[in-house]
Amino acid sequence: MKQKIFISLLAAVFCASAGTIKAQDCASGYCPETMKVHHFAGDISPETVTITYPVVETTLGSSDGSSYCWITQNLGATTQATSASDASDAAAGWYWQFGRKQGYAWNTSTTTTTPSWPGIVPIVDSDWPAQDDPCTLLLGSNWRLPTNTELTNADTNGNWDDYTDTYNSVLKLHGAGLLDSPDGKVVNRGVNGYMWTSTKAPANFENNKNSYYMNFSANSSRMSNYPQSYGFTLRCLSELQ
């Protein structure tokens, strides 16, 4: 079912009123302060829920100083994390296997996922297909997953050494854990963060499909690659609108 998106028009109104904001903001576009989205359970969203996503404009992901809009909580999270080690379902949001549009919600009370976890399944031998990008499908055509280069830039430009640094940044990245590949059980919630990029990595061994992701914890923040059947969180970015 189509997702309904309501974007704040505040910046657009300011751009129409001379002298109310910096001229370059009108010339180069703007980021909405928030986006209110009605998600409907189906083959993309695991739950029916209305979420207001805070949005920030930042140059963290670029190599040339250009700005992007980023949501500042995980896709599917109903609230922004309150700390680097926030272990709540609300802040974690949903999890995805690489290359698939279906999201999975972990319920701590029942220790199950919605929908049922598919286990170890064949994924994709390519970058995340654009037509299955959950950011585009759930937030709109301007939104997409970050590439490996963009998350690498964010890690480098932010001088991030651990998840205290990632959380204290404007992106508020925290340790939401992952869903284990065989059974879909949540692992390392509140301890590690695992966030997919849209970029496939070379296989580490025969028949093993890996993709790039960001891993942050109390001890490090780094880029790496991992098998695609694990469930990682997502963040979304957009060109200035």
Side-chain angles (χ1 to χ4, degrees), residues 6-12 30-36 241:
F6 300 89
I7 300 176
S8 168
L9 297 179
L10 180 61
Y30 67 93
C31 295
E33 293 181 355
T34 60
M35 291 196 308
K36 186 177 182 180
Q241 298 175 16

Side-chain angles (χ1 to χ4, degrees), residues 74 81 83-87 91-92 95 151 155 160 162-164 166-167 172-179 186-197 212-224 226 231-235:
N74 291 343
S83 70
S85 59
D86 190 330
Y95 300 80
L151 272 184
D155 192 41
W160 295 337
D162 52 34
Y163 71 5
T164 299
T166 64
Y167 177 75
K172 294 294 182 185
L173 306 180
H174 80 293
L178 60 79
L179 297 185
V186 74
V187 178
N188 291 338
R189 176 76 73 80
V191 177
N192 281 75
Y194 307 85
M195 184 168 296
W196 284 126
T197 74
Y212 289 111
Y213 77 107
M214 176 177 280
N215 182 0
F216 35 95
S217 68
N219 301 312
S220 67
S221 174
R222 61 189 176 88
M223 301 302 299
S224 189
Y226 218 64
F232 289 175
T233 59
L234 300 182
R235 285 297 176 95

Side-chain angles (χ1 to χ4, degrees), residues 7 10-11 35 37 47 51 88 91 110 148 150 156 158 177 180 192 199 220 231 238:
I7 300 176
L10 180 61
M35 291 196 308
V37 183
E47 303 169 300
I51 299 175
S88 66
T110 62
N148 180 54
E150 288 163 338
T156 301
D180 202 13
N192 281 75
T199 310
S220 67
S238 169

Side-chain angles (χ1 to χ4, degrees), residues 46-60:
E47 303 169 300
T48 296
V49 62
T50 299
I51 299 175
T52 298
Y53 294 97
V55 179
V56 67
E57 179 181 339
T58 179
T59 61
L60 276 174

Side-chain angles (χ1 to χ4, degrees), residues 48-196:
T48 296
V49 62
T50 299
I51 299 175
T52 298
Y53 294 97
V55 179
V56 67
E57 179 181 339
T58 179
T59 61
L60 276 174
S62 71
S63 57
D64 61 3
S66 56
S67 294
Y68 295 93
C69 307
W70 292 74
I71 58 172
T72 61
Q73 61 199 47
N74 291 343
L75 188 58
T78 56
T79 187
Q80 194 174 80
T82 58
S83 70
S85 59
D86 190 330
S88 66
D89 291 351
W94 303 327
Y95 300 80
W96 275 264
Q97 294 177 313
F98 185 89
R100 294 186 165 229
K101 64 181 182 179
Q102 178 67 67
Y104 295 89
W106 173 258
N107 187 309
T108 297
S109 298
T110 62
T111 65
T112 58
T113 62
T114 302
S116 298
W117 185 250
I120 301 173
V121 293
I123 310 294
V124 294
D125 193 20
S126 67
D127 291 345
W128 202 304
Q131 68 271 18
D132 292 329
D133 185 327
C135 293
T136 306
L137 294 170
L138 295 180
L139 302 184
S141 59
N142 289 332
W143 293 87
R144 59 175 174 81
L145 288 164
T147 65
N148 180 54
T149 298
E150 288 163 338
L151 272 184
T152 300
N153 287 341
D155 192 41
T156 301
N157 294 339
N159 295 312
W160 295 337
D161 292 326
D162 52 34
Y163 71 5
T164 299
D165 290 339
T166 64
Y167 177 75
N168 287 336
S169 77
V170 294
L171 298 186
K172 294 294 182 185
L173 306 180
H174 80 293
L178 60 79
L179 297 185
D180 202 13
S181 178
D183 57 15
K185 300 297 184 183
V186 74
V187 178
N188 291 338
R189 176 76 73 80
V191 177
N192 281 75
Y194 307 85
M195 184 168 296
W196 284 126

